[in-house]
Amino acid sequence: MKSYPVEFRQKILDCYYNEPISQRQLAKRFCVTLSFVQKLLKQSRETGDIRPKTYRCGRHLKLTPEQMIALGELIEANNDATLAELSELFWQRTGIVLSVATVARMAERLRMTRPKNSTPSRKRAGKSTKT
């Protein structure tokens, strides 16, 4: 969803401060939600800035671009290593502890594929079959 332009936001504020109008009526007049008007007024009071906020929801990357390159180099050099081993190698190289899940996500983000574990599964020993 696009943010409302600064000029439009300023019109809402001008109307609110120059006319005896409630926030609810203001929202109706400009076809916006009441919560938007309330947040705009609060942002204007607290910061004096009415521009749309630039950040979005979601997680931020845990690693810098240089650290991502280092992880990519480790994955290339140790292609048969497990995620836990890659995490340990990354810690030894950079001093930053990464969880196994983070290593997997970063490898996926780097579009680096790793081979699956090719060891055959073991059959359960000690089970007898009835005839």
Side-chain angles (χ1 to χ4, degrees):
M1 184 174 158
K2 283 193 163 187
S3 300
Y4 293 117
V6 176
E7 295 81 22
F8 180 68
R9 292 166 176 256
Q10 189 62 51
K11 281 183 185 178
I12 294 172
L13 289 175
D14 291 342
C15 185
Y16 180 75
Y17 290 120
N18 295 329
E19 297 179 25
I21 189 171
S22 70
Q23 293 177 5
R24 191 175 307 277
Q25 292 168 335
L26 192 64
K28 244 184 207 178
R29 180 186 287 184
F30 287 97
C31 299
V32 296
T33 62
L34 175 61
S35 63
F36 172 74
V37 172
Q38 292 169 337
K39 288 176 186 177
L40 179 63
L41 291 169
K42 181 179 179 186
Q43 182 180 347
S44 175
R45 272 193 312 271
E46 291 178 354
T47 65
D49 185 19
I50 59 170
R51 290 179 295 177
K53 295 181 180 178
T54 57
Y55 65 88
R56 296 284 184 228
C57 297
R59 289 181 173 244
H60 299 286
L61 279 181
K62 192 170 191 171
L63 302 177
T64 64
E66 295 82 20
Q67 294 165 341
M68 290 289 284
I69 291 169
L71 181 62
E73 290 170 355
L74 281 175
I75 293 171
E76 284 179 3
N78 304 290
N79 199 21
D80 59 342
T82 64
L83 293 173
E85 291 169 345
L86 287 170
S87 176
E88 178 70 23
L89 290 169
F90 189 77
W91 174 75
Q92 290 172 358
R93 185 169 181 177
T94 63
I96 298 171
V97 178
L98 294 179
S99 70
V100 172
T102 301
V103 173
R105 277 194 308 274
M106 295 300 128
E108 185 178 318
R109 184 176 284 270
L110 290 168
R111 300 187 195 290
M112 303 195 85
T113 58
R114 299 182 333 76
K116 299 270 185 187
N117 190 356
S118 60
T119 57
S121 62
R122 297 181 181 177
K123 292 184 180 178
R124 292 185 182 175
K127 285 214 168 185
S128 62
T129 57
K130 294 185 180 181
T131 54

